[in-house]
Amino acid sequence: ENPSFDNILKVYPNPTSDEVRIDLSTLNEEVDISLYSTNGNLLGKKHVSKALLAEFQSFDFRNITPGIYFLNI
């Protein structure tokens, strides 16, 4: 059986024109978050330590062209 990822992390709002917030509070180990365009360009990267998992993480989209983007967590 495959586990559901519905309750593991939350990314919102989608769509956005301001910022995307990422809730990682259910995780228990540090993670790296990368934001990519559809052509594979790295637009942003963050390292989140265990101590910061309880805080919301965000990516600012105000200066990014509207489109489809991928988060790699």
Side-chain angles (χ1 to χ4, degrees):
E1 183 177 319
N2 292 333
S4 171
F5 290 100
D6 292 342
N7 296 318
I8 293 176
L9 63 95
K10 295 179 177 137
V11 178
Y12 61 92
N14 185 12
T16 189
S17 60
D18 189 12
E19 74 174 5
V20 167
R21 293 182 65 157
I22 305 163
D23 178 357
L24 302 169
S25 61
T26 59
L27 301 180
N28 59 10
E29 57 186 72
E30 61 187 32
V31 295
D32 289 313
I33 305 171
S34 301
L35 176 66
Y36 291 95
S37 66
T38 54
N39 62 2
N41 289 334
L42 178 64
L43 303 175
K45 186 171 186 171
K46 291 185 177 197
H47 177 79
V48 183
S49 68
K50 286 177 84 168
L52 296 176
L53 288 174
E55 299 178 15
F56 287 101
Q57 303 301 313
S58 64
F59 276 100
D60 186 353
F61 274 74
R62 286 176 275 222
N63 295 319
I64 297 178
T65 303
I68 296 172
Y69 296 92
F70 299 99
L71 284 174
N72 185 11
I73 300 173

Short mmCIF file of all heavy atoms in Angstrom, two decimals:
data_model
loop_
_atom_site.label_atom_id
_atom_site.label_comp_id
_atom_site.label_asym_id
_atom_site.label_seq_id
_atom_site.Cartn_x
_atom_site.Cartn_y
_atom_site.Cartn_z
N GLU A 1 0.84 -1.18 0.00
CA GLU A 1 0.00 0.00 0.00
C GLU A 1 0.88 1.25 0.00
O GLU A 1 1.85 1.33 0.73
CB GLU A 1 -0.89 -0.02 1.24
CG GLU A 1 -1.84 1.13 1.30
CD GLU A 1 -2.75 1.04 2.51
OE1 GLU A 1 -3.21 -0.08 2.81
OE2 GLU A 1 -2.97 2.07 3.11
N ASN A 2 0.55 2.20 -0.84
CA ASN A 2 1.29 3.45 -0.91
C ASN A 2 0.76 4.44 0.10
O ASN A 2 -0.45 4.66 0.18
CB ASN A 2 1.18 4.06 -2.31
CG ASN A 2 1.91 3.23 -3.34
OD1 ASN A 2 2.85 2.54 -3.02
ND2 ASN A 2 1.45 3.30 -4.58
N PRO A 3 1.63 5.09 0.86
CA PRO A 3 1.15 6.08 1.82
C PRO A 3 0.64 7.33 1.11
O PRO A 3 1.08 7.66 0.02
CB PRO A 3 2.40 6.41 2.64
CG PRO A 3 3.54 6.09 1.74
CD PRO A 3 3.08 4.95 0.87
N SER A 4 -0.30 7.99 1.72
CA SER A 4 -0.83 9.24 1.18
C SER A 4 0.05 10.40 1.64
O SER A 4 0.46 10.46 2.79
CB SER A 4 -2.26 9.45 1.68
OG SER A 4 -2.70 10.73 1.33
N PHE A 5 0.32 11.31 0.73
CA PHE A 5 1.12 12.48 1.06
C PHE A 5 0.25 13.68 1.41
O PHE A 5 0.75 14.76 1.65
CB PHE A 5 2.07 12.82 -0.09
CG PHE A 5 3.17 11.83 -0.26
CD1 PHE A 5 3.09 10.86 -1.24
CD2 PHE A 5 4.25 11.83 0.59
CE1 PHE A 5 4.10 9.93 -1.39
CE2 PHE A 5 5.26 10.91 0.45
CZ PHE A 5 5.19 9.95 -0.54
N ASP A 6 -1.07 13.50 1.47
CA ASP A 6 -1.98 14.60 1.73
C ASP A 6 -1.70 15.30 3.06
O ASP A 6 -1.87 16.50 3.17
CB ASP A 6 -3.43 14.12 1.73
CG ASP A 6 -3.89 13.70 0.35
OD1 ASP A 6 -3.24 14.09 -0.64
OD2 ASP A 6 -4.90 12.98 0.25
N ASN A 7 -1.30 14.56 4.07
CA ASN A 7 -1.10 15.14 5.39
C ASN A 7 0.36 15.35 5.75
O ASN A 7 0.67 15.71 6.87
CB ASN A 7 -1.78 14.26 6.44
CG ASN A 7 -3.28 14.22 6.24
OD1 ASN A 7 -3.89 15.24 5.96
ND2 ASN A 7 -3.86 13.05 6.34
N ILE A 8 1.28 15.11 4.83
CA ILE A 8 2.70 15.23 5.14
C ILE A 8 3.18 16.66 4.96
O ILE A 8 3.90 17.19 5.78
CB ILE A 8 3.53 14.25 4.29
CG1 ILE A 8 3.20 12.83 4.72
CG2 ILE A 8 5.00 14.52 4.42
CD1 ILE A 8 3.87 11.76 3.90
N LEU A 9 2.81 17.30 3.88
CA LEU A 9 3.18 18.70 3.69
C LEU A 9 2.09 19.42 2.93
O LEU A 9 1.28 18.82 2.25
CB LEU A 9 4.53 18.83 2.97
CG LEU A 9 4.65 18.31 1.54
CD1 LEU A 9 4.41 19.43 0.57
CD2 LEU A 9 6.03 17.75 1.35
N LYS A 10 2.07 20.73 3.12
CA LYS A 10 1.07 21.56 2.46
C LYS A 10 1.78 22.71 1.76
O LYS A 10 2.67 23.33 2.32
CB LYS A 10 0.08 22.11 3.47
CG LYS A 10 -0.74 21.01 4.10
CD LYS A 10 -1.71 21.56 5.11
CE LYS A 10 -2.53 20.40 5.63
NZ LYS A 10 -2.74 20.37 7.02
N VAL A 11 1.38 22.96 0.52
CA VAL A 11 1.92 24.06 -0.28
C VAL A 11 0.72 24.89 -0.74
O VAL A 11 -0.18 24.36 -1.38
CB VAL A 11 2.71 23.54 -1.50
CG1 VAL A 11 3.22 24.68 -2.34
CG2 VAL A 11 3.84 22.62 -1.06
N TYR A 12 0.72 26.16 -0.39
CA TYR A 12 -0.43 27.00 -0.72
C TYR A 12 -0.02 28.47 -0.75
O TYR A 12 1.04 28.81 -0.21
CB TYR A 12 -1.56 26.76 0.29
CG TYR A 12 -1.18 27.09 1.71
CD1 TYR A 12 -1.42 28.35 2.23
CD2 TYR A 12 -0.54 26.16 2.53
CE1 TYR A 12 -1.06 28.68 3.53
CE2 TYR A 12 -0.18 26.46 3.82
CZ TYR A 12 -0.45 27.73 4.31
OH TYR A 12 -0.08 28.04 5.59
N PRO A 13 -0.78 29.36 -1.34
CA PRO A 13 -1.92 29.09 -2.22
C PRO A 13 -1.45 28.68 -3.61
O PRO A 13 -0.34 29.00 -4.00
CB PRO A 13 -2.64 30.44 -2.27
CG PRO A 13 -1.55 31.45 -2.11
CD PRO A 13 -0.54 30.81 -1.19
N ASN A 14 -2.28 28.00 -4.29
CA ASN A 14 -1.99 27.56 -5.64
C ASN A 14 -3.24 27.77 -6.47
O ASN A 14 -4.24 27.11 -6.21
CB ASN A 14 -1.57 26.10 -5.65
CG ASN A 14 -1.15 25.64 -7.01
OD1 ASN A 14 -0.95 26.43 -7.91
ND2 ASN A 14 -1.04 24.33 -7.18
N PRO A 15 -3.23 28.69 -7.42
CA PRO A 15 -2.12 29.50 -7.91
C PRO A 15 -1.82 30.68 -6.99
O PRO A 15 -2.61 30.99 -6.09
CB PRO A 15 -2.61 30.00 -9.27
CG PRO A 15 -4.09 30.05 -9.14
CD PRO A 15 -4.46 28.93 -8.19
N THR A 16 -0.69 31.34 -7.25
CA THR A 16 -0.30 32.52 -6.48
C THR A 16 0.32 33.56 -7.39
O THR A 16 0.81 33.24 -8.47
CB THR A 16 0.70 32.14 -5.37
OG1 THR A 16 0.88 33.28 -4.53
CG2 THR A 16 2.04 31.74 -5.93
N SER A 17 0.31 34.79 -6.93
CA SER A 17 1.04 35.86 -7.62
C SER A 17 1.93 36.59 -6.62
O SER A 17 2.60 37.55 -6.97
CB SER A 17 0.05 36.85 -8.25
OG SER A 17 -0.76 37.42 -7.26
N ASP A 18 1.95 36.11 -5.39
CA ASP A 18 2.67 36.76 -4.31
C ASP A 18 3.76 35.84 -3.75
O ASP A 18 4.91 35.96 -4.09
CB ASP A 18 1.68 37.16 -3.23
CG ASP A 18 2.27 38.04 -2.15
OD1 ASP A 18 3.39 38.54 -2.35
OD2 ASP A 18 1.61 38.23 -1.12
N GLU A 19 3.37 34.91 -2.90
CA GLU A 19 4.32 33.94 -2.35
C GLU A 19 3.62 32.62 -2.13
O GLU A 19 2.41 32.55 -1.98
CB GLU A 19 4.95 34.43 -1.05
CG GLU A 19 4.04 34.39 0.14
CD GLU A 19 4.74 34.76 1.44
OE1 GLU A 19 5.92 35.14 1.43
OE2 GLU A 19 4.08 34.67 2.48
N VAL A 20 4.41 31.56 -2.15
CA VAL A 20 3.93 30.23 -1.83
C VAL A 20 4.46 29.88 -0.45
O VAL A 20 5.64 30.06 -0.18
CB VAL A 20 4.42 29.19 -2.87
CG1 VAL A 20 4.19 27.78 -2.39
CG2 VAL A 20 3.72 29.40 -4.19
N ARG A 21 3.57 29.40 0.40
CA ARG A 21 3.97 28.97 1.74
C ARG A 21 4.01 27.46 1.78
O ARG A 21 3.17 26.78 1.19
CB ARG A 21 2.99 29.51 2.78
CG ARG A 21 3.06 31.02 2.88
CD ARG A 21 2.14 31.54 3.90
NE ARG A 21 2.57 31.06 5.22
CZ ARG A 21 2.27 31.64 6.36
NH1 ARG A 21 1.52 32.71 6.35
NH2 ARG A 21 2.67 31.15 7.50
N ILE A 22 5.00 26.95 2.50
CA ILE A 22 5.21 25.51 2.59
C ILE A 22 5.19 25.11 4.06
O ILE A 22 5.98 25.62 4.85
CB ILE A 22 6.54 25.10 1.95
CG1 ILE A 22 6.59 25.61 0.51
CG2 ILE A 22 6.72 23.59 2.00
CD1 ILE A 22 7.98 25.63 -0.08
N ASP A 23 4.27 24.22 4.42
CA ASP A 23 4.15 23.74 5.79
C ASP A 23 4.84 22.38 5.88
O ASP A 23 4.36 21.40 5.30
CB ASP A 23 2.68 23.63 6.17
CG ASP A 23 2.45 23.10 7.57
OD1 ASP A 23 3.44 22.74 8.26
OD2 ASP A 23 1.29 23.04 7.99
N LEU A 24 5.95 22.32 6.59
CA LEU A 24 6.73 21.09 6.75
C LEU A 24 6.67 20.57 8.18
O LEU A 24 7.48 19.74 8.57
CB LEU A 24 8.20 21.35 6.37
CG LEU A 24 8.46 21.88 4.97
CD1 LEU A 24 9.90 22.34 4.84
CD2 LEU A 24 8.13 20.84 3.94
N SER A 25 5.72 21.03 8.95
CA SER A 25 5.69 20.75 10.38
C SER A 25 5.52 19.26 10.71
O SER A 25 5.83 18.85 11.83
CB SER A 25 4.60 21.56 11.06
OG SER A 25 3.33 21.23 10.54
N THR A 26 5.06 18.45 9.78
CA THR A 26 4.89 17.02 10.05
C THR A 26 6.17 16.22 9.77
O THR A 26 6.21 15.03 10.08
CB THR A 26 3.74 16.43 9.22
OG1 THR A 26 4.03 16.61 7.84
CG2 THR A 26 2.42 17.08 9.57
N LEU A 27 7.18 16.86 9.21
CA LEU A 27 8.44 16.16 8.94
C LEU A 27 9.30 16.13 10.18
O LEU A 27 9.15 16.95 11.08
CB LEU A 27 9.18 16.84 7.79
CG LEU A 27 8.45 16.92 6.46
CD1 LEU A 27 9.31 17.62 5.43
CD2 LEU A 27 8.04 15.55 5.97
N ASN A 28 10.26 15.20 10.22
CA ASN A 28 11.12 15.11 11.40
C ASN A 28 12.60 15.08 11.07
O ASN A 28 13.42 14.72 11.90
CB ASN A 28 10.74 13.90 12.26
CG ASN A 28 10.84 12.61 11.49
OD1 ASN A 28 11.36 12.58 10.39
ND2 ASN A 28 10.33 11.53 12.06
N GLU A 29 12.96 15.45 9.84
CA GLU A 29 14.38 15.58 9.50
C GLU A 29 14.56 16.73 8.53
O GLU A 29 13.64 17.12 7.82
CB GLU A 29 14.94 14.28 8.93
CG GLU A 29 14.23 13.75 7.70
CD GLU A 29 14.77 12.39 7.30
OE1 GLU A 29 14.49 11.41 8.00
OE2 GLU A 29 15.46 12.34 6.28
N GLU A 30 15.76 17.29 8.53
CA GLU A 30 16.03 18.46 7.69
C GLU A 30 15.82 18.14 6.22
O GLU A 30 15.96 16.98 5.81
CB GLU A 30 17.44 18.98 7.94
CG GLU A 30 18.54 18.01 7.63
CD GLU A 30 19.88 18.54 8.06
OE1 GLU A 30 19.98 19.27 9.05
OE2 GLU A 30 20.86 18.21 7.36
N VAL A 31 15.46 19.16 5.47
CA VAL A 31 15.18 18.98 4.04
C VAL A 31 15.78 20.14 3.24
O VAL A 31 16.04 21.21 3.77
CB VAL A 31 13.67 18.91 3.75
CG1 VAL A 31 13.05 17.69 4.37
CG2 VAL A 31 12.95 20.16 4.17
N ASP A 32 15.96 19.89 1.96
CA ASP A 32 16.31 20.93 0.99
C ASP A 32 15.09 21.12 0.10
O ASP A 32 14.46 20.15 -0.32
CB ASP A 32 17.51 20.52 0.15
CG ASP A 32 18.79 20.52 0.96
OD1 ASP A 32 19.04 21.50 1.68
OD2 ASP A 32 19.55 19.54 0.87
N ILE A 33 14.78 22.37 -0.19
CA ILE A 33 13.66 22.71 -1.08
C ILE A 33 14.23 23.46 -2.27
O ILE A 33 14.96 24.44 -2.10
CB ILE A 33 12.63 23.60 -0.37
CG1 ILE A 33 12.14 22.96 0.92
CG2 ILE A 33 11.46 23.89 -1.31
CD1 ILE A 33 11.30 23.90 1.76
N SER A 34 13.92 23.00 -3.47
CA SER A 34 14.38 23.67 -4.69
C SER A 34 13.17 24.01 -5.54
O SER A 34 12.22 23.24 -5.64
CB SER A 34 15.31 22.75 -5.49
OG SER A 34 16.42 22.39 -4.72
N LEU A 35 13.22 25.18 -6.17
CA LEU A 35 12.17 25.65 -7.06
C LEU A 35 12.72 25.68 -8.48
O LEU A 35 13.75 26.30 -8.74
CB LEU A 35 11.71 27.05 -6.65
CG LEU A 35 10.67 27.72 -7.54
CD1 LEU A 35 9.35 26.98 -7.49
CD2 LEU A 35 10.49 29.18 -7.12
N TYR A 36 12.03 24.97 -9.39
CA TYR A 36 12.47 24.86 -10.78
C TYR A 36 11.40 25.34 -11.75
O TYR A 36 10.20 25.17 -11.51
CB TYR A 36 12.76 23.40 -11.14
CG TYR A 36 13.96 22.82 -10.45
CD1 TYR A 36 13.82 22.10 -9.27
CD2 TYR A 36 15.24 22.97 -10.97
CE1 TYR A 36 14.92 21.55 -8.62
CE2 TYR A 36 16.34 22.43 -10.35
CZ TYR A 36 16.18 21.72 -9.17
OH TYR A 36 17.27 21.19 -8.54
N SER A 37 11.84 25.91 -12.86
CA SER A 37 10.94 26.22 -13.96
C SER A 37 10.70 24.94 -14.76
O SER A 37 11.38 23.94 -14.55
CB SER A 37 11.56 27.30 -14.87
OG SER A 37 12.71 26.80 -15.50
N THR A 38 9.76 24.99 -15.70
CA THR A 38 9.46 23.80 -16.50
C THR A 38 10.61 23.41 -17.42
O THR A 38 10.69 22.27 -17.85
CB THR A 38 8.19 24.01 -17.36
OG1 THR A 38 8.35 25.19 -18.14
CG2 THR A 38 6.97 24.10 -16.49
N ASN A 39 11.54 24.34 -17.71
CA ASN A 39 12.69 23.98 -18.55
C ASN A 39 13.90 23.58 -17.71
O ASN A 39 15.00 23.43 -18.23
CB ASN A 39 13.03 25.09 -19.55
CG ASN A 39 13.42 26.39 -18.88
OD1 ASN A 39 13.48 26.47 -17.66
ND2 ASN A 39 13.67 27.40 -19.68
N GLY A 40 13.70 23.40 -16.40
CA GLY A 40 14.76 22.88 -15.54
C GLY A 40 15.67 23.90 -14.89
O GLY A 40 16.62 23.53 -14.21
N ASN A 41 15.40 25.19 -15.09
CA ASN A 41 16.22 26.21 -14.45
C ASN A 41 15.93 26.28 -12.95
O ASN A 41 14.77 26.34 -12.54
CB ASN A 41 15.96 27.59 -15.06
CG ASN A 41 16.51 27.70 -16.46
OD1 ASN A 41 17.45 27.02 -16.84
ND2 ASN A 41 15.90 28.58 -17.26
N LEU A 42 16.98 26.28 -12.15
CA LEU A 42 16.84 26.42 -10.71
C LEU A 42 16.59 27.89 -10.38
O LEU A 42 17.40 28.76 -10.69
CB LEU A 42 18.11 25.94 -10.00
CG LEU A 42 18.13 26.06 -8.48
CD1 LEU A 42 17.06 25.18 -7.86
CD2 LEU A 42 19.50 25.70 -7.95
N LEU A 43 15.44 28.18 -9.77
CA LEU A 43 15.06 29.56 -9.46
C LEU A 43 15.27 29.91 -8.00
O LEU A 43 15.31 31.09 -7.64
CB LEU A 43 13.60 29.79 -9.83
CG LEU A 43 13.25 29.51 -11.29
CD1 LEU A 43 11.76 29.63 -11.51
CD2 LEU A 43 14.01 30.45 -12.20
N GLY A 44 15.37 28.93 -7.15
CA GLY A 44 15.57 29.18 -5.74
C GLY A 44 15.83 27.89 -5.00
O GLY A 44 15.41 26.82 -5.44
N LYS A 45 16.56 28.00 -3.87
CA LYS A 45 16.87 26.81 -3.08
C LYS A 45 16.96 27.21 -1.62
O LYS A 45 17.49 28.30 -1.30
CB LYS A 45 18.18 26.20 -3.55
CG LYS A 45 18.51 24.89 -2.88
CD LYS A 45 19.71 24.24 -3.53
CE LYS A 45 19.91 22.86 -2.91
NZ LYS A 45 20.90 22.09 -3.60
N LYS A 46 16.45 26.37 -0.73
CA LYS A 46 16.50 26.61 0.71
C LYS A 46 16.85 25.32 1.42
O LYS A 46 16.38 24.24 1.03
CB LYS A 46 15.15 27.08 1.25
CG LYS A 46 14.74 28.43 0.82
CD LYS A 46 13.46 28.83 1.51
CE LYS A 46 13.13 30.26 1.09
NZ LYS A 46 12.17 30.86 1.97
N HIS A 47 17.64 25.44 2.46
CA HIS A 47 17.90 24.32 3.36
C HIS A 47 17.11 24.60 4.63
O HIS A 47 17.20 25.70 5.19
CB HIS A 47 19.39 24.19 3.67
CG HIS A 47 19.66 23.09 4.65
ND1 HIS A 47 19.70 21.77 4.27
CD2 HIS A 47 19.88 23.12 5.98
CE1 HIS A 47 19.94 21.03 5.33
NE2 HIS A 47 20.05 21.83 6.39
N VAL A 48 16.34 23.62 5.08
CA VAL A 48 15.53 23.79 6.28
C VAL A 48 16.02 22.79 7.32
O VAL A 48 15.91 21.58 7.14
CB VAL A 48 14.03 23.55 5.99
CG1 VAL A 48 13.19 23.81 7.24
CG2 VAL A 48 13.56 24.43 4.84
N SER A 49 16.57 23.31 8.41
CA SER A 49 17.08 22.45 9.48
C SER A 49 15.91 21.91 10.31
O SER A 49 14.79 22.41 10.23
CB SER A 49 18.03 23.24 10.38
OG SER A 49 17.31 24.23 11.08
N LYS A 50 16.20 20.90 11.10
CA LYS A 50 15.16 20.32 11.96
C LYS A 50 14.54 21.37 12.86
O LYS A 50 13.34 21.35 13.13
CB LYS A 50 15.75 19.19 12.81
CG LYS A 50 16.02 17.92 12.03
CD LYS A 50 16.66 16.87 12.92
CE LYS A 50 15.61 16.13 13.69
NZ LYS A 50 16.12 14.92 14.36
N ALA A 51 15.35 22.31 13.34
CA ALA A 51 14.86 23.34 14.25
C ALA A 51 13.83 24.26 13.59
O ALA A 51 13.01 24.86 14.27
CB ALA A 51 16.02 24.16 14.78
N LEU A 52 13.88 24.39 12.26
CA LEU A 52 12.98 25.31 11.56
C LEU A 52 11.78 24.64 10.91
O LEU A 52 10.97 25.30 10.26
CB LEU A 52 13.76 26.09 10.49
CG LEU A 52 14.85 27.02 11.02
CD1 LEU A 52 15.60 27.66 9.87
CD2 LEU A 52 14.25 28.08 11.93
N LEU A 53 11.64 23.32 11.06
CA LEU A 53 10.53 22.61 10.42
C LEU A 53 9.17 23.09 10.91
O LEU A 53 8.19 23.03 10.18
CB LEU A 53 10.66 21.10 10.63
CG LEU A 53 11.77 20.43 9.83
CD1 LEU A 53 11.88 18.96 10.23
CD2 LEU A 53 11.55 20.55 8.34
N ALA A 54 9.09 23.57 12.13
CA ALA A 54 7.81 24.02 12.67
C ALA A 54 7.38 25.37 12.09
O ALA A 54 6.22 25.74 12.18
CB ALA A 54 7.88 24.12 14.19
N GLU A 55 8.31 26.10 11.47
CA GLU A 55 7.99 27.39 10.87
C GLU A 55 7.62 27.22 9.40
O GLU A 55 8.14 26.35 8.72
CB GLU A 55 9.20 28.32 10.97
CG GLU A 55 9.63 28.60 12.39
CD GLU A 55 10.86 29.49 12.44
OE1 GLU A 55 11.21 30.11 11.42
OE2 GLU A 55 11.46 29.54 13.52
N PHE A 56 6.72 28.08 8.93
CA PHE A 56 6.37 28.06 7.51
C PHE A 56 7.56 28.54 6.70
O PHE A 56 8.24 29.49 7.07
CB PHE A 56 5.18 28.98 7.22
CG PHE A 56 3.88 28.43 7.71
CD1 PHE A 56 3.33 28.90 8.88
CD2 PHE A 56 3.21 27.46 6.99
CE1 PHE A 56 2.14 28.41 9.35
CE2 PHE A 56 2.02 26.96 7.44
CZ PHE A 56 1.47 27.43 8.62
N GLN A 57 7.80 27.89 5.60
CA GLN A 57 8.83 28.32 4.64
C GLN A 57 8.08 28.94 3.47
O GLN A 57 6.94 28.61 3.20
CB GLN A 57 9.67 27.13 4.18
CG GLN A 57 10.33 26.38 5.31
CD GLN A 57 11.25 27.26 6.13
OE1 GLN A 57 12.06 28.00 5.58
NE2 GLN A 57 11.11 27.21 7.44
N SER A 58 8.75 29.84 2.74
CA SER A 58 8.06 30.46 1.62
C SER A 58 9.03 30.76 0.48
O SER A 58 10.24 30.86 0.68
CB SER A 58 7.37 31.75 2.06
OG SER A 58 8.31 32.71 2.47
N PHE A 59 8.45 30.86 -0.71
CA PHE A 59 9.17 31.32 -1.90
C PHE A 59 8.40 32.52 -2.45
O PHE A 59 7.18 32.46 -2.60
CB PHE A 59 9.25 30.22 -2.97
CG PHE A 59 10.38 29.27 -2.79
CD1 PHE A 59 10.17 28.04 -2.23
CD2 PHE A 59 11.67 29.61 -3.17
CE1 PHE A 59 11.22 27.15 -2.06
CE2 PHE A 59 12.72 28.74 -3.01
CZ PHE A 59 12.49 27.50 -2.45
N ASP A 60 9.12 33.58 -2.74
CA ASP A 60 8.53 34.80 -3.26
C ASP A 60 8.36 34.68 -4.77
O ASP A 60 9.32 34.42 -5.50
CB ASP A 60 9.44 35.98 -2.93
CG ASP A 60 8.85 37.32 -3.29
OD1 ASP A 60 7.79 37.37 -3.93
OD2 ASP A 60 9.47 38.33 -2.93
N PHE A 61 7.13 34.85 -5.25
CA PHE A 61 6.83 34.74 -6.68
C PHE A 61 6.55 36.10 -7.32
O PHE A 61 6.17 36.16 -8.48
CB PHE A 61 5.60 33.84 -6.88
CG PHE A 61 5.94 32.37 -6.95
CD1 PHE A 61 6.30 31.68 -5.82
CD2 PHE A 61 5.91 31.71 -8.16
CE1 PHE A 61 6.61 30.34 -5.88
CE2 PHE A 61 6.22 30.37 -8.24
CZ PHE A 61 6.58 29.67 -7.09
N ARG A 62 6.74 37.20 -6.60
CA ARG A 62 6.39 38.51 -7.15
C ARG A 62 7.22 38.88 -8.37
O ARG A 62 6.75 39.61 -9.23
CB ARG A 62 6.52 39.59 -6.08
CG ARG A 62 5.38 39.53 -5.07
CD ARG A 62 5.61 40.54 -4.00
NE ARG A 62 6.49 39.91 -3.03
CZ ARG A 62 6.34 40.02 -1.73
NH1 ARG A 62 5.39 40.77 -1.25
NH2 ARG A 62 7.16 39.41 -0.91
N ASN A 63 8.46 38.41 -8.44
CA ASN A 63 9.33 38.75 -9.58
C ASN A 63 9.54 37.59 -10.53
O ASN A 63 10.49 37.60 -11.31
CB ASN A 63 10.68 39.26 -9.06
CG ASN A 63 10.54 40.55 -8.29
OD1 ASN A 63 9.78 41.43 -8.69
ND2 ASN A 63 11.23 40.66 -7.18
N ILE A 64 8.66 36.61 -10.46
CA ILE A 64 8.76 35.44 -11.34
C ILE A 64 7.61 35.49 -12.34
O ILE A 64 6.47 35.76 -11.98
CB ILE A 64 8.71 34.13 -10.52
CG1 ILE A 64 9.94 34.06 -9.60
CG2 ILE A 64 8.65 32.92 -11.44
CD1 ILE A 64 9.97 32.83 -8.71
N THR A 65 7.92 35.23 -13.60
CA THR A 65 6.92 35.22 -14.65
C THR A 65 5.84 34.19 -14.35
O THR A 65 6.17 33.06 -13.96
CB THR A 65 7.59 34.88 -16.00
OG1 THR A 65 8.63 35.83 -16.24
CG2 THR A 65 6.59 34.94 -17.14
N PRO A 66 4.55 34.55 -14.51
CA PRO A 66 3.49 33.55 -14.28
C PRO A 66 3.71 32.31 -15.14
O PRO A 66 4.13 32.41 -16.29
CB PRO A 66 2.22 34.30 -14.71
CG PRO A 66 2.56 35.75 -14.51
CD PRO A 66 4.03 35.85 -14.87
N GLY A 67 3.45 31.16 -14.55
CA GLY A 67 3.62 29.90 -15.28
C GLY A 67 3.54 28.72 -14.34
O GLY A 67 3.03 28.82 -13.23
N ILE A 68 4.07 27.60 -14.77
CA ILE A 68 4.07 26.37 -13.99
C ILE A 68 5.48 26.16 -13.44
O ILE A 68 6.46 26.30 -14.18
CB ILE A 68 3.65 25.17 -14.85
CG1 ILE A 68 2.21 25.37 -15.32
CG2 ILE A 68 3.80 23.86 -14.08
CD1 ILE A 68 1.75 24.34 -16.33
N TYR A 69 5.56 25.83 -12.16
CA TYR A 69 6.85 25.62 -11.51
C TYR A 69 6.79 24.36 -10.66
O TYR A 69 5.72 23.91 -10.29
CB TYR A 69 7.20 26.84 -10.63
CG TYR A 69 7.38 28.07 -11.48
CD1 TYR A 69 6.31 28.93 -11.73
CD2 TYR A 69 8.60 28.34 -12.10
CE1 TYR A 69 6.47 30.03 -12.55
CE2 TYR A 69 8.75 29.43 -12.91
CZ TYR A 69 7.68 30.28 -13.13
OH TYR A 69 7.83 31.36 -13.96
N PHE A 70 7.96 23.81 -10.36
CA PHE A 70 8.06 22.58 -9.60
C PHE A 70 8.87 22.80 -8.32
O PHE A 70 9.92 23.43 -8.37
CB PHE A 70 8.74 21.48 -10.43
CG PHE A 70 8.01 21.15 -11.68
CD1 PHE A 70 8.40 21.69 -12.89
CD2 PHE A 70 6.91 20.31 -11.65
CE1 PHE A 70 7.72 21.39 -14.06
CE2 PHE A 70 6.21 20.00 -12.81
CZ PHE A 70 6.63 20.54 -14.02
N LEU A 71 8.35 22.28 -7.22
CA LEU A 71 9.09 22.25 -5.97
C LEU A 71 9.64 20.85 -5.79
O LEU A 71 8.91 19.87 -5.91
CB LEU A 71 8.18 22.58 -4.79
CG LEU A 71 7.81 24.02 -4.59
CD1 LEU A 71 6.77 24.15 -3.48
CD2 LEU A 71 9.02 24.86 -4.26
N ASN A 72 10.90 20.76 -5.49
CA ASN A 72 11.55 19.48 -5.18
C ASN A 72 11.90 19.53 -3.70
O ASN A 72 12.71 20.34 -3.27
CB ASN A 72 12.79 19.28 -6.04
CG ASN A 72 13.43 17.95 -5.84
OD1 ASN A 72 12.86 17.06 -5.21
ND2 ASN A 72 14.63 17.80 -6.34
N ILE A 73 11.26 18.67 -2.91
CA ILE A 73 11.47 18.66 -1.46
C ILE A 73 12.05 17.32 -1.05
O ILE A 73 11.56 16.30 -1.40
CB ILE A 73 10.14 18.92 -0.72
CG1 ILE A 73 9.59 20.28 -1.15
CG2 ILE A 73 10.33 18.85 0.79
CD1 ILE A 73 8.22 20.61 -0.64
#
